[in-house]
Amino acid sequence: SAGERVMGVEHAYRPRRGMGFSLLELLVVVAIASLLATLAQASWWSQVLRVRRIDATAALLQASAAQESYYSRQGRYADRLVPEPPTGLGFEGTRHGWYRLQIEMADDSSFRIVAEPAVGSAQSADEPCQRFSIDHAGRRGSAPSPPQECWR
């Protein structure tokens, strides 16, 4: 007979040797590859969000420098980003538009500028760093995570 005898019972199935992979082996490989791809994609996305923080930090540093320049000419800090001096800083916002800037406070001797994810921006998903700030003394802030994490 063409079958194979296992434990006294004849079976019609006879494994073929050297003919490739079984369906089960292929499914295991696909499942492992899918799991690895999912983990890699999540890690990659968190790095993208982290790199995009530079859009906020660079804009805040530029706005802070613009404030100091404005102060040297006007004797006070600007309370508006736009329009051009002498009314505002002439500063539109972040280079890539992932964050919106706002002068939170400005007077004759101090200022604080904040950056938060723009409405509809993918940076809204960057939960550890939802708010960046800089003040007249160059103090950097962020929330909810500390500046050591968000400004690096």
Side-chain angles (χ1 to χ4, degrees):
S1 138
E4 182 177 302
R5 197 162 187 81
V6 176
M7 296 176 58
V9 178
E10 187 161 330
H11 295 274
Y13 171 76
R14 193 173 352 157
R16 294 183 278 173
R17 307 271 184 232
M19 296 294 293
F21 301 104
S22 72
L23 180 59
L24 181 60
E25 291 169 330
L26 287 175
L27 287 174
V28 168
V29 168
V30 168
I32 291 171
S34 297
L35 178 64
L36 291 174
T38 300
L39 294 174
Q41 193 269 342
S43 176
W44 173 80
W45 184 244
S46 71
Q47 289 302 313
V48 167
L49 292 175
R50 186 172 159 253
V51 167
R52 286 183 179 172
R53 293 174 191 164
I54 294 170
D55 193 39
T57 58
L60 286 172
L61 291 170
Q62 290 171 346
S64 178
Q67 277 285 41
E68 294 303 331
S69 176
Y70 185 93
Y71 183 84
S72 69
R73 291 188 313 268
Q74 305 295 326
R76 64 182 174 83
Y77 290 110
D79 59 0
R80 291 190 238 170
L81 289 170
V82 290
E84 296 290 325
T87 308
L89 287 180
F91 200 86
E92 289 291 327
T94 67
R95 181 175 182 195
H96 298 287
W98 291 315
Y99 293 87
R100 66 178 176 79
L101 293 183
Q102 177 183 350
I103 297 177
E104 188 175 74
M105 183 276 300
D107 57 27
D108 290 345
S109 61
S110 61
F111 71 85
R112 184 173 38 259
I113 306 170
V114 298
E116 296 175 324
V119 175
S121 167
Q123 287 308 106
S124 296
D126 188 14
E127 292 177 11
C129 302
Q130 284 293 297
R131 180 179 167 95
F132 296 84
S133 65
I134 195 165
D135 69 11
H136 61 282
R139 287 184 295 253
R140 300 170 181 188
S142 60
S145 295
Q148 297 86 340
E149 182 178 333
C150 296
W151 278 80
R152 56 186 173 127

